[in-house]
């Protein structure tokens, strides 16, 4: 009977070994599959990280461009405001001066007309005196 028990023990050991090998193979396949999935996830994460960095860089570039354009518009608006202010003051000042000059001429017109009339009268008197 020792031989039967020994062969039985060997058969049990071979069965246990086959089960262990099967379990090890399935576990190894699972680990290999998990490692492949982890590697793929790491690659995908690296790609997403690269894309995110590119998107951030592009957003910063666009923000810098927008800031530069806003600065240019602000500067141009300031120049327009200064120009409008200067032109308004110049125009208003010019109109004020023109109005003063017109009033001055209007005030001088009767005086100049009177003097011209007196001068014409004198010239006529001188001409008439020379004829006699």
């Amino acid at each position: 009977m020792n031989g039967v028990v020994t062969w039985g023990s060997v058969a049990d050991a071979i069965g246990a070994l086959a089960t262990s090998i099967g379990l090890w193979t399935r576990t190894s396949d699972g680990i290999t599959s998990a490692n492949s999935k982890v590697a793929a996830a790491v690659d995908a994460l690296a790609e997403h990280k690269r894309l995110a960095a590119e998107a951030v860089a592009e957003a910063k570039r666009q923000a810098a461009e927008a800031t530069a354009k806003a600065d240019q518009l602000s500067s141009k608006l300031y120049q327009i405001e200064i120009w409008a202010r200067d032109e308004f003051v110049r125009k208003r000042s010019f109109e004020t001066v023109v109005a003063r000059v017109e009033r001055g001429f209007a005030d001088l017109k009767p005086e100049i007309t009177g003097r011209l009339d007196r001068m014409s009268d004198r010239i006529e008197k001188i001409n008439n005196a020379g004829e006699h």
Side-chain angles (χ1 to χ4, degrees):
M1 199 85 166
N2 273 345
V4 172
V5 171
T6 303
W7 282 108
S9 296
V10 170
D12 284 341
I14 290 175
L17 182 61
T19 302
S20 293
I21 290 173
L23 181 61
W24 177 75
T25 303
R26 282 191 300 268
T27 304
S28 176
D29 289 345
I31 290 172
T32 302
S33 175
N35 283 341
S36 296
K37 288 179 182 176
V38 167
V42 168
D43 290 344
L45 179 62
E47 179 64 13
H48 287 296
K49 190 174 181 180
R50 184 187 66 77
L51 291 173
E54 286 177 3
V56 168
E58 178 65 14
K60 285 181 180 179
R61 185 190 64 76
Q62 288 177 356
E65 284 179 5
T67 300
K69 286 181 182 177
D71 288 345
Q72 288 174 347
L73 288 173
S74 176
S75 176
K76 189 64 173 179
L77 180 60
Y78 176 76
Q79 290 171 359
I80 290 170
E81 288 174 346
I82 296 302
W83 177 85
R85 180 202 66 198
D86 292 347
E87 288 299 311
F88 177 75
V89 169
R90 287 183 198 141
K91 183 178 179 186
R92 179 166 235 151
S93 297
F94 177 75
E95 289 173 349
T96 301
V97 169
V98 168
R100 285 181 186 167
V101 169
E102 287 174 346
R103 279 194 308 271
F105 281 138
D107 292 344
L108 289 176
K109 185 179 178 181
E111 185 179 331
I112 291 172
T113 303
R115 286 185 181 187
L116 286 175
D117 287 343
R118 286 192 303 269
M119 192 183 332
S120 294
D121 289 343
R122 283 185 191 161
I123 291 172
E124 283 182 27
K125 285 181 186 176
I126 292 173
N127 283 339
N128 288 337
E131 289 179 6
H132 293 300

